[in-house]
Amino acid sequence: MAELLKGAPVAKAITEELTARCEELKKRGCIPTLSILRIGDNESDIAYERGVTKRCETIGIRVVKTVLPQTVDQNWVLSEINRINADPEIHGCLMFRPLPNHLYERALCEALDVRKDVDCMTDGSLTGVFTGNGDGFAPCTAESCIEILKYYGYPLNGSSAAVIGRSLVVGKPVSMLLLAENATVTVCHSKTRNTTEICRDKDILIVAAGRAKMIDSSYTNPSQIVIDVGINVDSEGNMFGDVDFDSVEPACAAITPVPGGVGAVTSAILCRHLIVAAELANP
Ligand code: NAP
């Protein structure tokens, strides 16, 4: 039976560490503050907002919410972002994406001060991930994958890893984070010819394809660690990963569940970014 790599203990450990750092900042007169900018009332945005708010409250981070109507125009959103940039009491901003189609998302993302970009929406943050120059913050989901592997004590240095997916939110950044940990990484995508063979002999398999239960036991081996990033919801509201858990779990060494795996760690990583941003702003 494979080890179950649950996200909750990882998030708990991060939360405890951040609570102490948050208290330290408050002693120095700084109240770490996250600005949440939501446009419209998308259900999954509201659910994530609830989770983030709860995590922030546990740690002691102040949350300031701004909700704009679905019909908001570009200038209005831009002025909100400029307000956040100019406010020294706000240390980070979470803006839910994708934005409504009538808005020019790239321009709005780029408008955020990179020092407050705790959710990696600017090119400046991505540059930090790809160059490893230490600037900016990685996408929370990508960093959560690495955090889980480290928490459960799986060595990355010298390991071989396959990543399925090459999006800028998960696949590419997680590949760079693995590389920074001295793993040897192969990235697979929809045009890769022999994905099954590439994955099968790797120490670590990270799946972010957005295809429910796509990965079965033919992709794995008995000593492999499988990180399932996928979130797929069926018509009855049941959640599934990109990995067929029932097929893969008996055939690998360790696996993250869905739900309760990677997704359970992301809000803790977001909070860590916020605390680091507050520390950098208050040296
Ligand atoms: P995405 O932008 O749709 O990217 C999917 C990637 O998978 C693409 O690079 C695509 O290749 C590749 N792919 C699709 N089918 C494939 C196949 N048959 N074989 C190999 N590669 C294939 O998705 P994403 O935003 O990265 O998200 C991926 C998954 O993670 C989704 O299920 C999403 O819901 C989930 N997610 C979870 C969290 C979390 O907190 N747990 C956060 C974000 C996303 P091409 O580039 O060639 O099209």
Side-chain angles (χ1 to χ4, degrees):
M1 215 169 120
E3 181 183 9
L4 198 57
L5 308 178
K6 289 188 182 173
V10 187
K12 186 169 177 275
I14 297 169
T15 301
E16 282 169 7
E17 195 234 319
L18 294 181
T19 303
R21 283 164 68 179
C22 190
E23 268 171 32
E24 201 50 48
L25 278 160
K26 284 180 177 171
K27 275 186 209 154
R28 289 175 11 219
C30 162
I31 300 170
T33 301
L34 173 70
S35 167
I36 295 183
L37 185 52
R38 171 161 56 81
I39 297 169
D41 294 317
N42 179 291
E43 260 181 48
S44 61
D45 290 351
I46 292 171
Y48 188 50
E49 181 180 302
R50 212 179 293 124
V52 167
T53 304
K54 203 167 154 220
R55 178 84 57 200
C56 286
E57 279 168 3
T58 307
I59 292 167
I61 294 170
R62 186 166 72 108
V63 176
V64 179
K65 293 181 190 177
T66 305
V67 181
L68 302 177
Q70 185 77 14
T71 52
V72 66
D73 68 15
Q74 186 86 5
N75 281 339
W76 187 354
V77 186
L78 193 57
S79 69
E80 289 295 335
I81 294 171
N82 286 335
R83 180 186 55 75
I84 290 163
N85 286 342
D87 188 340
E89 314 241 291
I90 294 177
H91 304 101
C93 172
L94 169 65
M95 179 171 77
F96 291 102
R97 290 159 289 151
L99 299 178
N101 283 339
H102 67 277
L103 297 172
Y104 180 28
E105 183 168 312
R106 274 315 316 144
L108 292 172
C109 288
E110 283 307 313
L112 183 67
D113 184 332
V114 72
R115 290 168 296 185
K116 300 190 179 189
D117 183 16
V118 290
D119 196 33
C120 200
M121 56 189 214
T122 64
D123 286 350
S125 297
L126 272 177
T127 302
V129 177
F130 279 75
T131 60
N133 66 6
D135 288 346
F137 300 104
C140 297
T141 305
E143 195 172 321
S144 299
C145 299
I146 305 297
E147 197 68 27
I148 289 172
L149 289 164
K150 286 185 175 173
Y151 177 87
Y152 285 100
Y154 289 104
L156 294 167
N157 200 330
S159 67
S160 62
V163 175
I164 304 185
R166 57 175 165 177
S167 75
L168 273 179
V169 185
V170 192
K172 281 179 185 164
V174 83
S175 305
M176 290 302 118
L177 296 177
L178 285 165
L179 202 54
E181 297 289 340
N182 297 321
T184 301
V185 188
T186 309
V187 183
C188 303
H189 48 79
S190 65
K191 307 293 184 292
T192 304
R193 270 194 229 114
N194 49 346
T195 304
T196 316
E197 290 74 19
I198 289 170
C199 294
R200 197 184 292 142
D201 68 347
K202 298 297 184 286
D203 301 321
I204 297 163
L205 172 61
I206 297 189
V207 189
R211 302 251 183 281
K213 298 188 181 187
M214 181 192 123
I215 301 302
D216 64 18
S217 60
S218 65
Y219 289 79
T220 194
N221 71 67
S223 52
Q224 191 176 69
I225 317 306
V226 180
I227 306 289
D228 186 357
V229 182
I231 295 179
N232 309 281
V233 182
D234 70 12
S235 55
E236 281 151 30
N238 301 307
M239 197 186 282
F240 301 97
D242 291 348
V243 174
D244 181 348
F245 188 89
D246 293 339
S247 168
V248 173
E249 189 270 341
C252 68
I255 183 168
T256 56
V258 177
V262 175
V265 182
T266 49
S267 67
I269 297 290
L270 182 81
C271 290
R272 179 197 276 162
H273 292 171
L274 194 279
I275 292 291
V276 172
E279 288 170 344
L280 288 171
N282 295 272

